[in-house]
């Protein structure tokens, strides 16, 4: 059985993430969505909230071979513990590629038994980034083109709790 891991913070999960999940699930027998916290980012949602959000969104995918698991360790240790032979990463553009290229090189040094597969984001979804979705929402902009309705509601509720920014 080929097991793949698609890791991310998913803060929040976007239509771009969902595209990579749907396509990545076709490449493996079982896809594990690894929800983690990136220490370089300040999440809008807690680990538990992000896990629930991702579970809710992937439950909409029919004939799903997808599970959602939280982790707070090195990606290669997590992937090994899950029995994965593949890590799936989404690429939006050159900047993502440069970062992912370096990350993949380091990960190969940690565990060369696990391959990394890059999937290019659908061209219509390439500009979408969770960081930008949050920024747009915090300044009162519309995010409905970047996330599902349920995620939009979650983000708008959180923004109401923390307060809008700007004039």
């Amino acid at each position: 059985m080929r097991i793949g891991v698609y890791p991310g913070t998913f803060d929040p999960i976007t239509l771009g993430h969902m595209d990579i999940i749907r396509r990545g699930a076709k490449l493996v027998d079982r896809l594990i969505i690894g929800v983690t916290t990136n220490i370089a980012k300040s999440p809008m949602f807690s680990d538990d909230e992000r896990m629930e959000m991702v579970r809710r969104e992937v439950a909409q995918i029919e004939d799903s071979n997808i599970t959602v698991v939280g982790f707070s360790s090195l990606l290669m240790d997590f992937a090994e513990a899950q029995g994965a032979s593949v890590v799936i990463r989404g690429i939006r553009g050159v900047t993502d590629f440069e970062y992912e290229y370096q990350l993949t090189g380091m990960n190969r040094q940690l565990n060369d038994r696990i391959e990394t597969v890059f999937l290019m984001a659908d061209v219509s979804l390439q500009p979408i980034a969770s960081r930008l979705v949050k920024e747009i929402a915090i300044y009162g902009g519309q995010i409905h083109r970047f996330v599902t309705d349920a995620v939009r509601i979650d983000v708008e509720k959180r923004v109401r709790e923390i307060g809008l920014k700007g004039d």
Side-chain angles (χ1 to χ4, degrees):
M1 177 183 279
R2 182 176 302 270
I3 298 172
V5 168
Y6 177 43
T9 53
F10 306 105
D11 186 49
I13 188 167
T14 68
L15 296 178
H17 292 130
M18 292 300 294
D19 174 57
I20 298 297
I21 290 168
R22 281 188 192 89
R23 292 169 46 220
K26 294 176 184 175
L27 301 176
V28 294
D29 299 309
R30 181 170 164 232
L31 181 62
I32 299 166
I33 309 302
V35 180
T36 189
T37 299
N38 182 333
I39 59 173
K41 298 179 180 178
S42 339
M44 176 179 271
F45 296 96
S46 72
D47 293 351
D48 290 340
E49 289 170 325
R50 288 182 288 112
M51 291 273 298
E52 179 54 35
M53 193 181 298
V54 174
R55 282 190 181 111
R56 180 189 66 216
E57 296 303 311
V58 300
Q60 308 301 317
I61 299 173
E62 292 184 30
D63 301 323
S64 180
N65 59 342
I66 302 168
T67 56
V68 179
V69 178
F71 76 103
S72 60
S73 63
L74 290 172
L75 172 57
M76 289 295 105
D77 292 344
F78 173 71
E80 181 87 25
Q82 298 300 313
S85 59
V86 175
V87 170
I88 295 172
R89 302 293 291 174
I91 302 286
R92 291 173 300 196
V94 175
T95 304
D96 280 356
F97 179 78
E98 289 175 0
Y99 172 75
E100 294 295 340
Y101 180 82
Q102 181 180 24
L103 189 62
T104 298
M106 293 296 287
N107 284 339
R108 290 217 31 101
Q109 295 293 317
L110 296 172
N111 186 333
D112 64 359
R113 296 176 305 280
I114 299 175
E115 291 294 336
T116 300
V117 173
F118 298 117
L119 293 178
M120 291 300 298
D122 181 274
V123 84
S124 67
L125 303 172
Q126 284 178 1
I128 301 173
S130 293
R131 176 183 53 82
L132 297 175
V133 169
K134 290 185 290 191
E135 187 173 327
I136 291 166
I138 287 170
Y139 283 95
Q142 297 298 310
I143 61 170
H144 64 276
R145 291 183 304 240
F146 315 123
V147 296
T148 65
D149 284 339
V151 172
R152 178 188 54 77
I153 290 166
D154 291 341
V155 172
E156 289 173 352
K157 179 181 177 201
R158 183 55 43 91
V159 168
R160 282 192 302 276
E161 290 169 4
I162 62 176
L164 282 174
K165 306 288 185 222
D167 298 334

